[in-house]
Structure formats: structure tokens, C-alpha cells
Amino acid sequence: MSYQFLSSDFAVSGQIDSNTLAALVGQGFSDVICNRPDGESDEQPSAEQIAASAADCGLTVHYVPVIPGQFKAEDAISVGRIIASAKGKVLGYCRTGNRSSHLWAIDQLLRGVNQCELEELGQRAGFDLSQVLTLFNRDDITESEAAEVSVSKTPGRQS
């Protein structure tokens, strides 16, 4: 299984399956966040199927589905809270890892992390975070606006 770390405690990947879960525990992961809505593709296992297999391995699965290009601050904050409360490392997954990386970056930005630093961390992991971060990094953005911001897909990687 291939995943990319964005921080010491958070990594992202494309779609996972039940066969990859036991390996995650052995690598220090305690939680998995599914950012992919169920039914997005025919071959995709449901979040419930992943959760059932994960429970057998001792992993906790959280379901925070996001439609590609429709990011809300509340979803990003949920991801941040899951990471902060986890007992080990956290893996966020979607189709390619792009949505999961965006949610993490939005949460970090809303917590005050510098946009340029986040963009650099994203680039190192193979993700372009610039567009989504620019939309959320406005001085005049209100909390209710942040919750409703919807962005187009970023160029390059597709979720």
C-alpha cells in the first residue's frame, strides 16, 4: 500500500481495502478517515465494509465523505479533530488522496498554519494545495462563508 505523509501523524492514500488494514496497525496507525462517498464507483468497498474489517484489526474508522471539489470548513475541522484525538497515526483516504490532503490543509490553515508552508508540504507529498488554500485564506472570510465555500477541482491530480 502506498501513502504519503503530510505531517508526522497524518498520511493520505487512494482507495484502501480490507487487505491493507492489518498492515496499517503494524505501522502505528490507529485511525482511518474515509473521505470518499459510498457508491462513487462500482468496485469501491463501502465505508461500512472498511469499518467492519478495520474493527477486527483494532483500527477506528471515521466517515467524513466529501464530493470532489466541494470542500467545507466543517468537514476539514472534523478531520483535524479526529487527528488531534487519535492515539496513533491517522490515514485519510479517498480515490487518490487529493480530497483527504485538501481537508487536512484547510484545517491546518484555519488553525493558523502559514499557507506557503502548507503548499510546500503538499508539494513534497505530490499534491497541489494552492487553489483550495487560496479560497480559504481570505481576511474577509466569515465562519459561515468558510462553511459554504465550494471549490473546483485543482489541476493535476484528480480526486
Side-chain angles (χ1 to χ4, degrees), residues 8-50:
S8 61
D9 57 357
F10 184 67
V12 298
S13 77
Q15 181 66 53
I16 62 172
D17 60 34
S18 58
N19 297 326
T20 61
L21 295 169
L24 291 174
V25 173
Q27 296 167 7
F29 286 88
S30 63
D31 294 70
V32 173
I33 303 171
C34 174
N35 297 129
R36 191 172 190 194
D38 283 340
E40 196 173 65
S41 70
D42 293 337
E43 73 282 350
Q44 160 193 356
S46 71
E48 188 175 301
Q49 290 169 317
I50 296 291

Side-chain angles (χ1 to χ4, degrees), residues 98-147:
N98 203 38
R99 275 175 274 184
S100 298
S101 70
H102 285 180
L103 290 166
W104 171 84
I106 293 165
D107 174 66
Q108 294 296 299
L109 183 72
L110 294 174
R111 291 173 185 264
V113 178
N114 178 278
Q115 180 175 341
C116 292
E117 180 182 336
L118 291 169
E119 287 178 18
E120 184 177 313
L121 290 168
Q123 285 176 346
R124 283 190 219 151
F127 298 98
D128 180 1
L129 304 175
S130 60
Q131 184 182 15
V132 72
L133 290 175
T134 298
L135 287 171
F136 277 88
N137 193 17
R138 299 186 355 234
D139 290 336
D140 63 334
I141 196 166
T142 65
E143 192 171 313
S144 61
E145 267 187 316

Side-chain angles (χ1 to χ4, degrees), residues 60-100:
T60 302
V61 174
H62 309 270
Y63 188 52
V64 185
V66 173
I67 295 170
Q70 296 182 12
F71 299 98
K72 295 180 181 173
E74 63 195 47
D75 295 328
I77 292 167
S78 292
V79 166
R81 287 182 179 146
I82 293 165
I83 296 166
S85 66
K87 295 177 179 154
K89 295 182 255 184
V90 178
L91 177 75
Y93 78 90
C94 53
R95 191 176 69 80
T96 63
N98 203 38
R99 275 175 274 184
S100 298

